[in-house]
Structure formats: structure tokens, C-alpha cells
Amino acid sequence: MEVTREVYLEWHQSRRRERYQVEKKQAHGVCSLEALGENALSVLPGSYWENTPEENAAKLICMEKVQQSISRLQEQDACLVRMLF
């Protein structure tokens, strides 16, 4: 598939950033919420789920928004937020 030079460079740069982040996590033993995957919700305290379904849905939406926001941070800042969370 042919793409413009700008598209290729952006793709290549994103791959380099991704490899750098993976290597950094491996070197420093960082544990992230993303690494927990589906099990992330199981670590929440039981009282978290003792609300109405609407409240639980709102909390899940908020958690997704927080995770999206964290993913837009620079890796060092994102790591700090994850550790504090």
C-alpha cells in the first residue's frame, strides 16, 4: 500500500515510541493498569460495586476517560499518575 512520506514518518515514529516505552517498562519493572487488562476491575474494593447500576456505569465511564487521558501524557508523567493511583 502506498502512503505519503508524512504518513510513513508518523507511523515509523509511533513505532519507535512504542518500542521505547516497552523497553523502558521492561528495564524498570513498571506495572501498569493496561497490563492488568480485564483483571483490573477485580482489584477494586467490594464497596465500589455496592452502588446502583447507573452509578457503577458512570464510574466505569470515568475510569475509561482517566485511562484515555493518562495515555496522552508523556510516559514519565503517566507513570507517576499510575503509581499515585
Side-chain angles (χ1 to χ4, degrees):
M1 175 200 290
E2 291 187 32
V3 295
T4 64
R5 177 176 169 75
E6 292 82 21
V7 170
Y8 172 76
L9 291 175
E10 183 61 35
W11 173 82
H12 183 64
Q13 235 178 358
S14 70
R15 297 280 296 176
R16 288 182 62 194
R17 281 191 297 263
E18 185 178 323
R19 280 194 313 268
Y20 169 76
Q21 291 173 352
V22 168
E23 290 169 359
K24 187 174 177 182
K25 286 178 183 179
Q26 289 173 345
H28 299 288
V30 175
C31 180
S32 66
L33 292 176
E34 293 84 17
L36 293 173
E38 293 177 7
N39 296 327
L41 297 178
S42 66
V43 299
L44 295 172
S47 62
Y48 183 87
W49 300 109
E50 295 173 2
N51 298 316
T52 66
E54 293 82 10
E55 290 172 319
N56 290 337
K59 287 180 182 181
L60 289 174
I61 290 170
C62 287
M63 285 178 61
E64 289 175 356
K65 287 182 180 181
V66 168
Q67 288 177 344
Q68 289 171 356
S69 298
I70 290 172
S71 71
R72 286 184 289 230
L73 294 173
Q74 291 181 1
E75 185 56 29
Q76 191 174 26
D77 295 336
C79 182
L80 176 62
V81 170
R82 286 185 200 111
M83 285 191 288
L84 292 173
F85 182 76

